[in-house]
Amino acid sequence: MDESTTGGFDRRTASAWQHSWDRQQEAYMPDREERFAAMLDAVDATAPTSRPLRVLDLCGGTGSISLRLVRRRPDAAVTLVDLDPALLRIARGSLPDTVAVVQADLREAGWPSRIGRDFDAILTATALHWFAADELSTLYGQILDLLAPGGIFVNADHMPDDDLPALTEDLYAADKRRREALYATGAAVSWEGWWNLVAADPVLGPLKTERDELFSIHHGQEWTPPVGWHRDALLAAGFAEAGLVWRGGLDAAVAARRAR
C-alpha cells in the first residue's frame, strides 16, 4: 500500500481515525488494553513454534486487535473480517500490508469459505453481543471448524458474572456515571459523537451511509449472557475445553481450545 495515498485516504489520516476509535472505545472499557494483552498472552502460550502463526481477527472493525498482534508477532499471518465498510476503510488504511482485510457477513452461511482454514487462533472483542443465542451457537460451530488442531478461540465481551446479579446492576450504573462525566467534560467522545465525525468526513461519510443501510438489516438487539452460557455453548459446539481467561468488572474473556 502506498504510504501517501489510498484512494484519497492517506495512512496518516487512517491511523488518526484508528487512534480516535480506540479512545472512544476506552470510554466504555477503561481496561481495554488489559483484555487485549490477556488475549494475546493466550495466543503466545499456544502458538506453534515450527511455522508462522495464523490468526483470524473476527469482527475486527478498525483492526485494534490486529494492530497489537502484529506489533507483538511481526511474522504472523493475520486475516481481519468485518461487515462495516467505514471501519474496514480505516483498517485497510492503517494496518500493515501483511494483514488481509475481508468484508463478510457472519450471518451468511458461506462466509467461512472466503477466508481459509487452519487458524492457530481466532480472536474477537466486543462484537458478538449483536448475535442472538441460536446465531451465536451456530457461529461457535463454524469457528471450531476454522481452527487448526489445538487452536484457540478467545471472545472478550460484556459477560456479567452469573452469581452477582444485584452487584452487576450497581456496576452498570456506576460505569454509566463515569462515562457520562467523561462526555460532559470533553475528555472522551461518545459513540454517537464519533459516528457524527465519521459522517462529516468526505471519504468515510458515504461509507457510513452504506453501513447504516447494512446494519438496519443485520443488527439485532444486544444480548449479553454470562460467562457460563458462553462456556456451555462452546463445549456443546465441540471444543475440547472452555473457560474464563480474563475478568474486568462487567467484562470477561472466554477461551476455548480445539482438540489436538
Side-chain angles (χ1 to χ4, degrees), residues 1 5 11 22 29 61 77 82 93 128 149 155 170 207 213 258:
M1 185 183 299
T5 180
R11 187 178 292 276
D22 281 346
M29 298 163 283
D82 203 286
L128 300 190
N155 176 17
D170 290 340
L207 296 175
E213 293 172 356
R258 181 172 179 171

Side-chain angles (χ1 to χ4, degrees), residues 13 19 27 39 49 58 64 68 91 132 149 183 209 217 229-230 235 257:
T13 300
H19 181 76
M39 296 171 78
T49 57
L58 195 69
S64 297
R68 287 154 181 79
Y183 299 155
T209 300
I217 300 170
W229 185 93
H230 289 278
L235 293 173
R257 194 167 195 183

